[in-house]
Amino acid sequence: MTNNNEKKGLVSIIAASSLGTLIEWYDFYIFGSLATIISTKFFPSTNPTAALLSTLATFAAGFVVRPFGALFFGRLGDLIGRKYTFLVTLVIMGLSTFLIGCVPAYETIGFLAPVLVLLLRLLQGLALGGEYGGAATYVAEHSPVNQRGFYTSWIQTTATLGLFISLFVIIITKSSMDDTAFNNWGWRIPFWISILMVAVSVLIRMKMQESPVFAKAKAEGKTSTNPLKESFGNKMNFKFVLLALFGATMGQGVVWYTGQFYALSFIQNTLSIDISQASKIMMWGLGLGTPFFLVFGALSDKIGRKWIMLVGMLIAIFSYRPIYSAMYDAASLTDKQENASLQRIESTEEPDATKSGQTLKTTVTTKVYTDGTKQKETRKETIFAGVSEVVPATDIKTTKAVEVNSDSFWLLVLLVFVQVIFVTMVYGPIAAFLVEMFPVKIRYTSMSLPYHIGNGIFGGLLPAIATFLALRATQANEAAAKAGTTLPYDKPFLEGLWYPIIIAAICFVIGALYIHGKGKRED
């Protein structure tokens, strides 16, 4: 057991590592949390569905490049050390996030806007690819072997807390101004705030010492001269890299992103719940679930990592469709009765800044239902001032925002919380699991690649792929309805879940058969 001084030192190490990693996740997630608004700022507004898919694809691009960041920064980490490598990643992430908040809108600079945002997202992905492996390795190499799962699970909480804080900042920012100001420029504030948090974290990390395990290996001349070759050119080590990917991180990645990001996307886009209320639902679910990262991390020290992760995947596989069906029913207006006497219609007209000589008319219709649910429908149309004419359909944009009643709100919180429990089961033990698979001299490189392919590619692509599958099913039903034929999908909004279900199922089988889950690497 560690003495009091060692424990105090370990606590400060975990705090410093976790704070920086938390800020990087905040930076990375603020984009996804504001995807609905961003789609209207950096992409053509003529097709809202295409704009949303483009935004999700840009969001996913940051995940796709994470493995390249893992290779680049992992190599540096195994060559020069953990401390300075993930200090650099923090600076890159912070600057990229701040600059996203500075990029002019599509209406101002045209296609240069999405190009600049994409480039900054790629930089974010590269930085995050180097951050996580460094932080997890650094903490693990400071931790007692018999408590490695517990101490590294603090790093695991940072991703969820980063999303939590991003939602909290959005709520505070949105509540401090009216909707028009927030939609015009207020959404940029959460991006700008990150630069202050990064500055504080850099100052803290500058005072950190190098990992003692790595420092010892370096002093004894036992570090790798070519981490990439030793990690992936060595046949036996490469087998462990593949096993870590297809038997653990691939399934962990899709469960993680389903329970957090797809849940948020589903609530905002499919259920059309107002962004503030959607954020509060997610915050409650994440806040209640986050302590379980530590619970399952500590439990993995006692009973092993393997089956905690695999059981989490298995439960998720059979639970996702019932959970999302219940979420849909909780917010559906189909069986609700409107109180017509409480309906309000408000219209405003102002010069259209994008079209000379024309006026932008905004009509907001608020409907109140007998159970307390509200729906706000905003219709924007461009008209010629003083001229009565039929407005082309392309010049009419309608958006809907639902505010569910208290019972539905807490039901949605519960359903998100259940998904977060799955996340904590698969994600809590994963850092210790990966660290223990590889030797010190190539650990940063070897563990980072399967982690970031599993999370960055299989997990990061999930929101875009799942949304696409659900939209395709919805369109197929609409086409069948017009043709008068049988609808091909009973619940098209559930079709996107087949992606995480299939990936997690494959990972469960490989992990159950080929990962023995015994022993802890001592070095």
Side-chain angles (χ1 to χ4, degrees):
M1 295 291 293
T2 56
N3 59 39
N4 288 336
N5 288 334
E6 288 174 329
K7 283 187 176 180
K8 288 180 181 178
L10 188 53
V11 168
S12 64
I13 286 165
I14 292 171
S17 300
S18 299
L19 178 62
T21 307
L22 184 152
I23 291 170
E24 290 219 31
W25 282 117
Y26 166 86
D27 287 352
F28 203 71
Y29 283 156
I30 202 73
F31 189 94
S33 301
L34 290 169
T36 304
I37 290 179
I38 289 173
S39 67
T40 67
K41 301 301 176 184
F42 296 134
F43 296 91
S45 58
T46 52
N47 188 332
T49 300
L52 177 60
L53 284 173
S54 298
T55 303
L56 292 175
T58 304
F59 178 67
F63 289 92
V64 172
V65 299
R66 277 168 57 180
F68 297 100
L71 291 175
F72 180 77
F73 290 109
R75 177 177 177 275
L76 287 181
D78 284 328
L79 285 174
I80 67 173
R82 291 37 169 145
K83 171 186 172 180
Y84 291 106
T85 301
F86 68 95
L87 186 62
V88 171
T89 62
L90 179 63
V91 173
I92 293 174
M93 176 67 82
L95 289 175
S96 299
T97 304
F98 176 77
L99 290 174
I100 287 178
C102 299
V103 175
Y106 180 87
E107 293 177 351
T108 304
I109 60 173
F111 280 102
L112 189 57
V115 170
L116 288 174
V117 171
L118 177 60
L119 290 175
L120 292 170
R121 281 293 296 171
L122 294 177
L123 283 175
Q124 283 186 319
L126 290 171
L128 192 57
E131 165 67 20
Y132 175 82
T137 300
Y138 188 82
V139 171
E141 291 177 350
H142 278 88
S143 304
V145 174
N146 63 341
Q147 294 180 290
R148 197 178 274 157
F150 172 69
Y151 284 119
T152 56
S153 65
W154 285 94
I155 294 292
Q156 306 308 91
T157 68
T158 60
T160 297
L161 288 173
L163 175 56
F164 181 92
I165 293 175
S166 75
L167 296 172
F168 178 75
V169 171
I170 290 170
I171 289 174
I172 295 299
T173 305
K174 195 171 189 297
S175 63
S176 65
M177 59 185 70
D178 58 42
D179 290 344
T180 301
F182 182 78
N183 290 330
N184 287 341
W185 63 270
W187 62 270
R188 297 181 182 270
I189 292 176
F191 288 95
W192 295 338
I193 288 175
S194 70
I195 201 71
L196 301 175
M197 296 190 291
V198 168
V200 173
S201 185
V202 167
L203 292 176
I204 294 173
R205 282 196 173 181
M206 288 291 288
K207 299 177 182 179
M208 295 167 64
Q209 301 298 316
E210 185 54 81
S211 155
V213 176
F214 180 82
K216 182 174 180 292
K218 191 170 184 178
E220 295 173 354
K222 295 181 179 179
T223 55
S224 175
T225 57
N226 193 335
L228 293 178
K229 183 178 180 180
E230 291 189 46
S231 293
F232 313 118
N234 180 295
K235 187 176 181 181
M236 182 56 67
N237 196 76
F238 188 58
K239 285 183 178 179
F240 276 97
V241 171
L242 294 177
L243 187 59
L245 171 59
F246 295 111
T249 63
M250 178 175 74
Q252 171 257 304
V254 295
V255 170
W256 194 51
Y257 284 100
T258 301
Q260 297 190 153
F261 260 107
Y262 188 63
L264 176 61
S265 176
F266 187 84
I267 290 170
Q268 286 185 342
N269 300 314
T270 303
L271 305 186
S272 299
I273 291 179
D274 174 73
I275 186 172
S276 292
Q277 192 175 48
S279 298
K280 291 174 184 176
I281 290 169
M282 291 301 299
M283 283 181 65
W284 274 104
L286 295 171
L288 293 171
T290 295
F292 288 89
F293 284 108
L294 308 179
V295 171
F296 290 114
L299 186 61
S300 75
D301 286 323
K302 299 182 177 356
I303 67 174
R305 332 279 187 208
K306 169 184 172 178
W307 283 109
I308 294 176
M309 296 187 296
L310 293 184
V311 168
M313 292 181 206
L314 187 64
I315 299 174
I317 289 167
F318 290 103
S319 301
Y320 276 150
R321 287 178 68 87
I323 285 174
Y324 277 82
S325 182
M327 291 173 70
Y328 185 86
D329 292 340
S332 175
L333 301 178
T334 304
D335 297 324
K336 298 184 185 299
Q337 184 176 355
E338 183 188 354
N339 188 336
S341 63
L342 296 179
Q343 185 180 113
R344 298 195 316 272
I345 300 177
E346 301 171 332
S347 294
T348 59
E349 293 186 12
E350 57 184 10
D352 191 337
T354 63
K355 298 179 181 179
S356 177
Q358 298 185 37
T359 299
L360 182 64
K361 180 180 180 181
T362 302
T363 304
V364 179
T365 303
T366 303
K367 297 180 180 179
V368 181
Y369 295 83
T370 54
D371 68 344
T373 301
K374 297 178 181 179
Q375 183 193 54
K376 183 181 290 185
E377 181 177 294
T378 303
R379 173 188 170 103
K380 294 186 177 183
E381 53 188 307
T382 302
I383 58 176
F384 288 97
V387 178
S388 177
E389 62 176 33
V390 177
V391 181
T394 54
D395 284 344
I396 300 176
K397 301 178 181 62
T398 303
T399 58
K400 297 179 181 180
V402 175
E403 183 180 321
V404 297
N405 62 23
S406 178
D407 291 342
S408 295
F409 177 89
W410 289 112
L411 176 57
L412 287 168
V413 168
L414 174 63
L415 294 170
V416 170
F417 168 73
V418 171
Q419 293 181 70
V420 175
I421 293 298
F422 304 157
V423 173
T424 62
M425 292 181 71
V426 300
Y427 197 58
I430 196 74
F433 169 82
L434 292 172
V435 165
E436 291 166 351
M437 289 190 76
F438 305 103
V440 172
K441 65 178 182 178
I442 55 172
R443 178 175 287 162
Y444 198 149
T445 304
S446 294
M447 74 164 285
S448 292
L449 186 66
Y451 173 82
H452 285 294
I453 291 179
N455 286 270
I457 294 181
F458 287 101
L461 291 176
L462 187 146
I465 292 176
T467 301
F468 169 76
L469 292 174
L471 284 172
R472 189 181 66 171
T474 300
Q475 291 169 352
N477 272 10
E478 291 173 351
K482 288 181 180 179
T485 58
T486 304
L487 300 182
Y489 300 99
D490 180 37
K491 295 181 177 180
F493 57 87
L494 296 180
E495 292 306 300
L497 294 170
W498 285 116
Y499 174 75
I501 288 172
I502 291 171
I503 297 296
I506 293 171
C507 188
F508 175 83
V509 171
I510 294 173
L513 293 177
Y514 296 107
I515 295 177
H516 60 68
K518 299 176 182 177
K520 296 181 177 71
R521 188 181 295 274
E522 298 287 337
D523 55 20

